[in-house]
Amino acid sequence: MNINSRPNPRPWPNRKKQTNKSAIFLCSLSLLAVFFVFIFFITYSEIPKSIFSISAFSGSVQFPQCRSHTLTRTLLGQRFLWYAPHSGFSNQLSEFKNAVLMAGILNRTLIIPPVMDHHAIALGSCPKFRVLSSSQLRASVWNHTIDLLRTNRYVSMADIVDISSLVSSSVVRVIDMRYFVSLLCGVELETLCSSGLVEQSQGYESLEQCGYLLSGVRGNVDKCLYGVEEDCRTTVWTYKNGDSSDGKLDSFQPDEKLKKKKKKKSISYVRRRRDVYKSFGHGTKAESAAILAFGSLFTAPYKGSELYIDIRKSSSSVPEVKSLVEKVDFLPFVREIMRAGNKFASETIKEPFLCAQLRLLDGQFKNHRESTFMGLNEKLESLSLKNQGPVHVFVMTDLPESNWTGTYLGDLSKNSTNFKLHFLKEQDEVVVQTEEKVGSAGHGHKFGSIPMSLDSIKKMEKHCSPRKVSNVQLYVEEAVCSCASLGLVGTTGSTIAESVEMMRKFNACSTS
């Protein structure tokens, strides 16, 4: 076919009109593009940006923090372990317990992280073999940590959870991350815990360097940082399960459907069971590194295996692990939180009550709302037969009260003859007062294997105390539920329910 021959050619006047129309169209398109660029510019200026774009960095990096004399002088020759906490608070607490185990086994000082904002850092799905890499998680945690510091919202895990039993018994050595970063990066605490960090300043550049270092996005740094890249897609960490088990295939592997899906992307995963001490302990390359950096340390049972860490089962045969597991099995909230929960139970509810922990909106739980309500209904019917007068129920749920209409909770709230519902709101006095007490107590300042000078303590108290403590309502609600003498109805699969069950098992209410 001759592409130059056109049937019924249009006369020139029509072509001119077509050209004019095209010009008008292009002009309109250009104006529209300028408009959208303008809108994007305005919108983009409102988007909160992380302090360091670590993942986008491609230049060469030098790490003055890793000079041997710097590490020895500022960190007293200790070896440290840090990791990337993520998801909700209960998941972060579970990771913290695993971090204590890892630090104890590997004889390292644990860097205590802040409490991340709820789901600010997401891991992904281990069962589906779809997770962020360890270096990506560490980079995200670093950026979020700096953001918490700049906005005066940094709350240490040790501000919320009582770790005094771990430190006093020398089960594990710890250091607050703020103090660790200040020492390693050479940034004064008043600068670190400030919104005044500006680009090109010495403090900014030092923190930028540390971000590249600790995230491991530029790789390992000899005798300074060893970044663990193995994750739940490839590895289940064990400890002293026998020489023959090291490197053995795990029972849970990707199914055929997932293999086919991954094969198209040229990705293949095989999960093996590996001994954490043989990989990172005495005589290994990782042992000589001052900082051992993990990604996620979250684990959970799944299809007969653990998703990432299977160390607790070793406790019966290894005395030192058994002691560690017993210590971290239950870590109570700090006394300010436990006392608030106890006070609400005894002075506001006053009567024996049932705790109903109902997770109804997030993830998989929203699809099982009816079955969750059914379990609560069965328990309440049973209690109604045994008790005279209304059954008192403390409700902790992510479903706002304004959305209870038309649900089982709405029906219960109307049935005041048979049931009396109690619940907390963020603005309730007990929550507000507890937030103030936790913020001013500063428990996280008080623990550390590297002693803080009096000047550093004063700076920490003055500049690094949080103006706002998030999640306090959740903590107090769990403390209240630990006092529920009529029992607990928890949402199946919820880590919050598991946390409350542990508190009840160890009689946290009575000991508070």
Side-chain angles (χ1 to χ4, degrees):
M1 179 184 292
N2 186 351
I3 61 174
N4 292 320
S5 64
R6 295 184 178 91
N8 301 321
R10 296 179 184 273
W12 282 109
N14 288 341
R15 288 190 178 183
K16 187 174 182 180
K17 289 180 180 179
Q18 184 179 6
T19 302
N20 290 338
K21 289 180 179 179
S22 298
I24 293 172
F25 173 77
L26 290 173
C27 183
S28 300
L29 189 63
S30 299
L31 289 173
L32 190 62
V34 170
F35 174 77
F36 278 116
V37 169
F38 177 72
I39 293 299
F40 174 78
F41 178 79
I42 295 175
T43 305
Y44 182 75
S45 65
E46 300 300 322
I47 299 174
K49 294 174 279 293
S50 60
I51 186 171
F52 310 127
S53 298
I54 292 176
S55 59
F57 184 82
S58 58
S60 60
V61 182
Q62 302 297 320
F63 297 114
Q65 301 88 354
C66 289
R67 293 172 187 151
S68 59
H69 67 277
T70 302
L71 286 175
T72 303
R73 183 180 69 253
T74 60
L75 301 178
L76 301 182
Q78 293 190 37
R79 296 178 306 126
F80 299 87
L81 182 149
W82 94 286
Y83 65 101
H86 55 81
S87 306
F89 175 78
S90 297
N91 282 22
Q92 293 176 47
L93 178 56
S94 175
E95 285 188 274
F96 179 72
K97 293 178 180 180
N98 287 329
V100 172
L101 290 178
M102 292 292 199
I105 290 171
L106 299 173
N107 192 26
R108 286 181 174 270
T109 300
L110 176 61
I111 301 171
I112 299 180
V115 177
M116 302 284 114
D117 287 341
H118 186 71
H119 288 310
I121 312 296
L123 171 65
S125 173
C126 285
K128 295 180 180 178
F129 288 69
R130 187 180 65 240
V131 298
L132 286 180
S133 69
S134 297
S135 57
Q136 286 177 307
L137 275 174
R138 290 191 293 264
S140 296
V141 167
W142 173 263
N143 275 327
H144 189 61
T145 298
I146 297 299
D147 182 61
L148 291 173
L149 286 166
R150 296 177 77 195
T151 55
N152 294 112
R153 294 184 299 113
Y154 187 109
V155 177
S156 168
M157 179 62 76
D159 287 325
I160 306 302
V161 177
D162 185 358
I163 65 168
S164 57
S165 61
L166 298 177
V167 179
S168 61
S169 60
S170 300
V171 171
V172 67
R173 300 185 305 274
V174 299
I175 185 171
D176 184 273
M177 187 169 184
R178 290 163 291 191
Y179 189 47
F180 174 81
V181 169
S182 176
L183 292 175
L184 179 68
C185 308
V187 179
E188 290 292 334
L189 287 166
E190 61 264 43
T191 301
L192 181 66
C193 304
S194 168
S195 60
L197 280 174
V198 293
E199 292 190 35
Q200 308 307 321
S201 68
Q202 184 177 354
Y204 183 99
E205 292 178 359
S206 296
L207 289 177
E208 189 176 40
Q209 291 281 339
C210 274
Y212 300 139
L213 169 66
L214 292 174
S215 65
V217 294
R218 307 305 299 161
N220 296 334
V221 181
D222 188 39
K223 293 188 178 181
C224 184
L225 176 94
Y226 187 97
V228 179
E229 294 303 322
E230 293 89 346
D231 56 40
C232 58
R233 294 171 291 188
T234 62
T235 307
V236 179
W237 293 118
T238 64
Y239 180 60
K240 289 191 176 182
N241 279 355
D243 293 336
S244 61
S245 66
D246 190 36
K248 183 179 178 181
L249 287 176
D250 185 56
S251 60
F252 173 58
Q253 300 290 339
D255 56 30
E256 292 303 319
K257 182 179 179 181
L258 188 62
K259 285 181 180 179
K260 290 178 180 179
K261 182 178 180 181
K262 295 293 184 182
K263 191 174 182 180
K264 294 179 181 179
K265 299 180 180 180
S266 301
I267 299 175
S268 177
Y269 295 116
V270 177
R271 281 166 53 93
R272 295 188 181 277
R273 300 175 67 80
R274 296 182 55 192
D275 189 293
V276 67
Y277 190 80
K278 290 181 179 179
S279 297
F280 308 120
H282 181 67
T284 64
K285 182 179 180 181
E287 183 201 21
S288 61
I291 306 164
L292 178 64
F294 281 89
S296 167
L297 286 180
F298 179 73
T299 191
Y302 186 79
K303 291 189 176 181
S305 180
E306 283 285 336
L307 287 177
Y308 192 47
I309 299 171
D310 193 8
I311 290 177
R312 292 172 182 255
K313 294 177 182 176
S314 307
S315 60
S316 59
S317 58
V318 185
E320 59 268 30
V321 178
K322 182 178 181 180
S323 175
L324 271 173
V325 169
E326 290 175 348
K327 288 289 184 182
V328 303
D329 201 20
F330 172 62
L331 295 176
F333 286 120
V334 293
R335 58 179 177 268
E336 289 80 7
I337 295 172
M338 291 307 305
R339 286 173 180 170
N342 196 318
K343 182 178 181 180
F344 185 86
S346 60
E347 297 182 10
T348 300
I349 302 178
K350 298 180 182 178
E351 302 291 336
F353 66 96
L354 172 76
C355 171
Q357 184 272 323
L358 308 173
R359 194 169 177 182
L360 304 170
L361 297 180
D362 194 19
Q364 61 175 329
F365 305 105
K366 61 185 178 183
N367 299 322
H368 303 284
R369 181 180 294 190
E370 293 307 315
S371 60
T372 301
F373 283 147
M374 189 180 299
L376 175 59
N377 179 57
E378 291 176 356
K379 180 66 174 180
L380 290 178
E381 286 184 350
S382 174
L383 290 174
S384 296
L385 296 174
K386 300 176 183 178
N387 294 272
Q388 294 182 349
V391 176
H392 289 257
V393 184
F394 177 74
V395 179
M396 61 177 301
T397 180
D398 53 357
L399 185 67
E401 186 187 5
S402 58
N403 293 343
W404 286 11
T405 304
T407 70
Y408 181 62
L409 277 178
D411 295 339
L412 283 180
S413 63
K414 295 176 182 177
N415 190 354
S416 57
T417 303
N418 297 319
F419 305 103
K420 173 65 175 175
L421 302 190
H422 306 268
F423 49 90
L424 284 171
K425 297 180 180 179
E426 189 175 4
Q427 64 270 25
D428 285 349
E429 183 179 3
V430 64
V431 177
V432 174
Q433 289 183 352
T434 305
E435 181 180 331
E436 294 174 353
K437 291 178 181 178
V438 170
S440 60
H443 293 292
H445 304 169
K446 302 171 184 176
F447 304 107
S449 59
I450 298 180
M452 295 177 66
S453 66
L454 183 61
D455 182 55
S456 294
I457 293 173
K458 289 181 178 179
K459 287 180 178 179
M460 184 81 84
E461 292 175 345
K462 181 177 180 180
H463 300 285
C464 300
S465 296
R467 292 178 183 172
K468 179 175 177 56
V469 181
S470 301
N471 296 326
V472 171
Q473 180 182 338
L474 171 66
Y475 309 146
V476 176
E477 285 176 335
E478 291 191 24
V480 172
C481 281
S482 71
C483 300
S485 57
L486 297 184
L488 164 71
V489 174
T491 303
T492 303
S494 170
T495 51
I496 296 175
E498 293 173 3
S499 177
V500 175
E501 287 280 17
M502 188 63 68
M503 295 174 72
R504 295 174 59 79
K505 176 182 176 181
F506 284 86
N507 299 314
C509 180
S510 59
T511 56
S512 66

